[in-house]
Amino acid sequence: MKISVIITLKKEVLDPQGKIIQQTLDGMGFNNINEVRQGKYFEINTKENDPHKAKDQVEVMCKKLLANLVIEDYKIIDVQ
Amino acid sequence: MKISVIITLKKEVLDPQGKIIQQTLDGMGFNNINEVRQGKYFEINTKENDPHKAKDQVEVMCKKLLANLVIEDYKIIDVQ
């Protein structure tokens, strides 16, 4: 199964990298942007064939390694 | 509108960072993983209210700044 996960900074955490991207886009003529937030994306290809088990396993990976839950949220967006 | 984009390395491009994450997960006991690929995620909040125009604008941003189309693909996954 292939599981797709997005890791984003929590709403209340500043994202200086996103801010710089927004400023750069603004300098390029994209003047109508309110905010850019950057995050990470992972595609995990596992031998597990049960979608529920695969999803549970990826949740554990997010909690233990992929995300820093103090400042980040994770969201599993696709299991196939 | 808020547009969400994923930038991934093209299939034929090696992803050493993903490989290291896979090895680390393996060392933590997740032994059934075939592959991990890492990518980037952007949430772009724009003043544009027309979803088609907002999407078109973000496509241009991807081509001009956010993605390196020689080695990366972009995918707009959500417009709301």
Side-chain angles (χ1 to χ4, degrees):
Chain A
M1 307 230 61
K2 199 176 77 174
I3 299 102
S4 304
V5 196
I6 285 170
I7 316 265
T8 48
L9 285 168
K10 285 180 192 283
K11 283 277 166 287
E12 62 272 20
V13 178
L14 285 176
D15 179 1
Q17 203 165 355
K19 186 77 193 159
I20 293 288
I21 293 166
Q22 192 228 313
Q23 288 167 355
T24 306
L25 287 168
D26 189 74
M28 291 167 73
F30 298 100
N31 304 315
N32 60 351
I33 300 166
N34 294 320
E35 194 186 20
V36 176
R37 307 271 296 174
Q38 193 179 355
K40 279 175 281 185
Y41 170 75
F42 294 100
E43 261 176 29
I44 295 156
N45 193 319
T46 166
K47 293 189 188 86
E48 179 61 61
N49 286 320
D50 178 330
H52 292 288
K53 280 190 194 167
K55 199 178 164 189
D56 286 351
Q57 196 185 32
V58 169
E59 287 222 6
V60 178
M61 290 177 201
C62 285
K63 287 175 189 162
K64 288 196 176 171
L65 180 73
L66 302 177
N68 174 355
L69 296 181
V70 178
I71 55 166
E72 292 172 327
D73 291 319
Y74 65 86
K75 194 162 103 182
I76 294 170
I77 57 165
D78 194 34
V79 179
Q80 61 181 1
Chain B
M1 308 229 62
K2 200 176 76 175
I3 298 102
S4 304
V5 196
I6 285 170
I7 316 265
T8 48
L9 285 168
K10 285 180 192 285
K11 283 277 164 286
E12 62 273 20
V13 178
L14 284 177
D15 180 1
Q17 203 165 354
K19 185 78 194 160
I20 292 289
I21 293 166
Q22 191 228 314
Q23 288 167 356
T24 306
L25 287 168
D26 189 74
M28 291 167 74
F30 298 100
N31 304 315
N32 60 350
I33 301 166
N34 295 319
E35 194 186 21
V36 176
R37 307 271 297 174
Q38 194 180 352
K40 281 176 280 186
Y41 170 75
F42 296 100
E43 260 177 30
I44 296 156
N45 192 320
T46 166
K47 294 189 187 85
E48 179 61 62
N49 286 320
D50 179 329
H52 292 287
K53 282 189 192 165
K55 200 179 164 190
D56 286 351
Q57 197 187 32
V58 169
E59 288 221 7
V60 179
M61 289 177 200
C62 286
K63 287 176 189 162
K64 288 196 175 170
L65 180 73
L66 302 178
N68 174 355
L69 296 182
V70 178
I71 55 166
E72 292 172 327
D73 291 319
Y74 65 86
K75 194 162 103 183
I76 293 171
I77 56 165
D78 194 34
V79 179
Q80 61 181 358

